[in-house]
């Protein structure tokens, strides 16, 4: 894994950081999913270059999930994606820490297909925290910074959405 802060893999991590800030600041679900798809593509390249096969698999599943969740909320489609996640886990998990990105992808899949608004943001926050652990363990500078920033942005977006809700 490259340790150089200005290596090509780390540069893709920094690009992911910028796209993550844009994605997670979106209040509208459709815009959130579109930006997240672009961010996930750049993130997948980052993970390939960093040599993290499990995280790359998680990102590829995330791209498929984002695109499909813009068209359908079908439990069947979510089930297929979750099954693919578990099958991939069988092939790519080589150590305990490889579980974090695939678990993050599963949590995000459930969130994208079953939730909207605040519940979607809460689920994505949980997935973000799992990605944060993955990035810390693999030494991704941009990825770690991005997940920390996404945590802050998600909390801010959750606060804004909660503030806009009418009183119970």
């Amino acid at each position: 894994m490259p340790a150089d802060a200005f290596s090509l893999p780390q540069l893709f991590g920094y690009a992911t950081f910028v796209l993550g800030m844009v994605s997670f600041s979106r209040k509208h679900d459709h815009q959130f999913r579109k930006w997240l798809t672009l961010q996930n593509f750049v993130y997948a390249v980052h993970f390939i270059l960093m040599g993290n096969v499990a995280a790359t698999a998680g990102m590829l599943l995330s791209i498929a999930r984002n695109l499909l969740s813009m068209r359908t909320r079908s439990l069947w489609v979510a089930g297929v994606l979750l099954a693919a996640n578990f099958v991939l886990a069988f092939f790519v998990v080589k150590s305990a820490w490889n579980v974090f990105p695939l678990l993050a992808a599963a949590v995000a899949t459930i969130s994208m297909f079953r939730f909207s608004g605040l519940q979607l943001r809460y689920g994505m926050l949980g997935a973000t925290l799992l990605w944060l652990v993955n990035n810390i363990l693999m030494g991704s500078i941009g990825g770690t910074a991005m997940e920390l920033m996404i945590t802050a942005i998600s909390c801010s977006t959750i606060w804004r959405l909660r503030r806009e809700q009418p009183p119970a």
Side-chain angles (χ1 to χ4, degrees), residues 132-153:
L132 176 61
V133 171
N134 173 75
N135 289 330
I136 290 169
L137 291 172
M138 69 179 261
S140 170
I141 299 166
T144 298
M146 181 191 69
E147 299 300 350
L148 287 169
M149 183 62 69
I150 287 173
T151 298
I153 290 171

Side-chain angles (χ1 to χ4, degrees), residues 101-116:
L102 293 170
L103 185 56
V107 168
T109 296
I110 293 165
S111 298
M112 288 284 218
F113 279 89
R114 297 308 306 152
F115 306 133
S116 63

Side-chain angles (χ1 to χ4, degrees), residues 8-74:
L8 184 61
Q10 296 292 6
L11 293 176
F12 270 90
Y14 303 142
T16 301
F17 171 82
V18 172
L19 291 169
M21 288 190 306
V22 173
S23 301
F24 280 83
S25 65
R26 304 296 94 188
K27 286 173 49 178
H28 301 286
D29 293 351
H30 187 74
Q31 288 297 315
F32 169 68
R33 285 177 169 91
K34 283 175 32 179
W35 279 98
L36 189 61
T37 301
L38 177 60
Q39 181 254 343
N40 288 168
F41 177 77
V42 176
Y43 218 1
V45 173
H46 171 65
F47 289 136
I48 288 168
L49 294 173
M50 293 287 286
N52 189 330
V53 177
T56 302
M59 272 303 114
L60 294 176
L61 284 168
S62 296
I63 291 166
R65 174 206 66 221
N66 297 343
L67 294 171
L68 290 168
S69 73
M70 284 192 267
R71 302 267 187 246
T72 183
R73 302 280 296 270
S74 167

Side-chain angles (χ1 to χ4, degrees), residues 85-162:
N85 194 346
F86 290 114
V87 168
L88 277 172
F90 179 76
F91 292 106
V92 301
V93 170
K94 303 297 182 211
S95 66
W97 72 275
N98 289 149
V99 172
F100 289 106
L102 293 170
L103 185 56
V107 168
T109 296
I110 293 165
S111 298
M112 288 284 218
F113 279 89
R114 297 308 306 152
F115 306 133
S116 63
L118 272 171
Q119 291 78 20
L120 171 62
R121 296 323 188 282
Y122 284 128
M124 296 306 287
L125 178 59
T128 296
L129 296 173
L130 291 165
W131 281 111
L132 176 61
V133 171
N134 173 75
N135 289 330
I136 290 169
L137 291 172
M138 69 179 261
S140 170
I141 299 166
T144 298
M146 181 191 69
E147 299 300 350
L148 287 169
M149 183 62 69
I150 287 173
T151 298
I153 290 171
S154 293
C155 289
S156 172
T157 303
I158 287 167
W159 180 78
R160 288 184 299 150
L161 289 170
R162 286 184 59 92

